[in-house]
Amino acid sequence: MTDQAFNILIVHTSGRNDGSVSRQLSKELIEQFDIAGRTLNIVERDLAHGVPFIDQDWIDANYTPADKRTADQTATLSYSDGLVDELKTADLVVIGAPIYNFSVPAVLKAWIDLIARVSVTFTYNENGPVGLLENKSAVVVAASGGTPFGSDIDFATGYMRHVLGFVGITDVAILGADRLAVDADASLAKAKAEISEFAASFSQKFRQAA
């Protein structure tokens, strides 16, 4: 395989900078990748300072054909367009997703609303929705204080797997540390082991293809 960039998009959603488990584990995951014959090109999108919510102006602009939009409508969609372009360019999407009150942070939901765009990242046919962001992988690096991943009170990880699949990203891994408030040391140790295993497996796939 000739040398070419392998593009990674990291989406940070934790409201914390210092002490954020999802940020730290995402960093450790990236540091352990060894993509033979590929240069890592990493783009980080930090949502901690807020993400605009969709409103009437955004909806009107989004559902106006691109060649008929006014300058104001084009400007209204510019932030969303930038987020979509990052996703289209990425080979791997890493999303740091702490669980807040049993679900994802509000900024992550707002990001999802801005990238889930009909005829851009998904479309419909006679069988229902079809995602358009194909040939990509995603890792959701989650963290929770007391919510067990995959439990009846976890409305975050299953949702992330579903919504990523909705836009065409079906190769999704869920990693991270849950129930940190119960036993932080054990939870972090388990998460670090999972991350090391995933990074080694993911890297090996590309070494075999080289």
Side-chain angles (χ1 to χ4, degrees):
M1 180 182 295
T2 58
D3 184 32
Q4 65 184 94
F6 183 84
N7 300 306
I8 300 178
L9 171 64
I10 308 174
V11 182
H12 298 292
T13 71
S14 175
R16 302 171 66 186
N17 286 307
D18 297 334
S20 167
V21 172
S22 64
R23 289 176 185 268
Q24 180 58 40
L25 292 178
S26 296
K27 178 182 177 182
E28 292 187 19
L29 174 64
I30 300 303
E31 288 175 345
Q32 292 185 49
F33 280 134
D34 180 16
I35 309 297
R38 308 288 287 272
T39 299
L40 289 183
N41 181 30
I42 299 172
V43 171
E44 295 193 59
R45 171 66 68 169
D46 196 330
L47 308 182
H49 299 297
V51 179
F53 293 151
I54 62 173
D55 57 14
Q56 185 69 56
D57 289 341
W58 189 95
I59 293 169
D60 290 344
N62 187 48
Y63 284 95
T64 298
D67 60 349
K68 297 184 182 303
R69 288 173 188 150
T70 66
D72 285 344
Q73 287 179 321
T74 298
T76 295
L77 292 176
S78 61
Y79 184 84
S80 171
D81 287 339
L83 299 181
V84 170
D85 287 344
E86 289 174 348
L87 271 176
K88 287 183 175 180
T89 301
D91 298 300
L92 174 67
V93 184
V94 177
I95 301 175
I99 295 180
Y100 290 172
N101 302 311
F102 313 107
S103 188
V104 298
V107 291
L108 180 50
K109 178 58 169 65
W111 179 84
I112 290 165
D113 290 342
L114 291 170
I115 62 91
R117 292 175 55 180
V118 67
S119 300
V120 179
T121 57
F122 72 94
T123 189
Y124 288 99
N125 62 21
E126 64 277 8
N127 297 316
V130 178
L132 300 177
L133 299 178
E134 299 177 322
N135 303 316
K136 302 178 186 299
S137 300
V139 181
V140 177
V141 182
S144 80
T147 301
F149 294 162
S151 69
D152 290 343
I153 60 172
D154 172 10
F155 299 98
T157 61
Y159 170 68
M160 289 305 302
R161 188 184 296 279
H162 178 82
V163 79
L164 288 167
F166 178 71
V167 295
I169 307 175
T170 56
D171 180 16
V172 180
I174 307 293
L175 306 174
D178 61 351
R179 305 187 74 206
L180 286 160
V182 178
D183 190 340
D185 290 342
S187 182
L188 285 171
K190 180 175 180 292
K192 290 174 183 289
E194 288 178 350
I195 283 171
S196 293
E197 181 179 354
F198 179 87
S201 176
F202 196 87
S203 299
Q204 179 66 19
K205 178 173 67 174
F206 283 88
R207 284 197 292 271
Q208 290 174 343

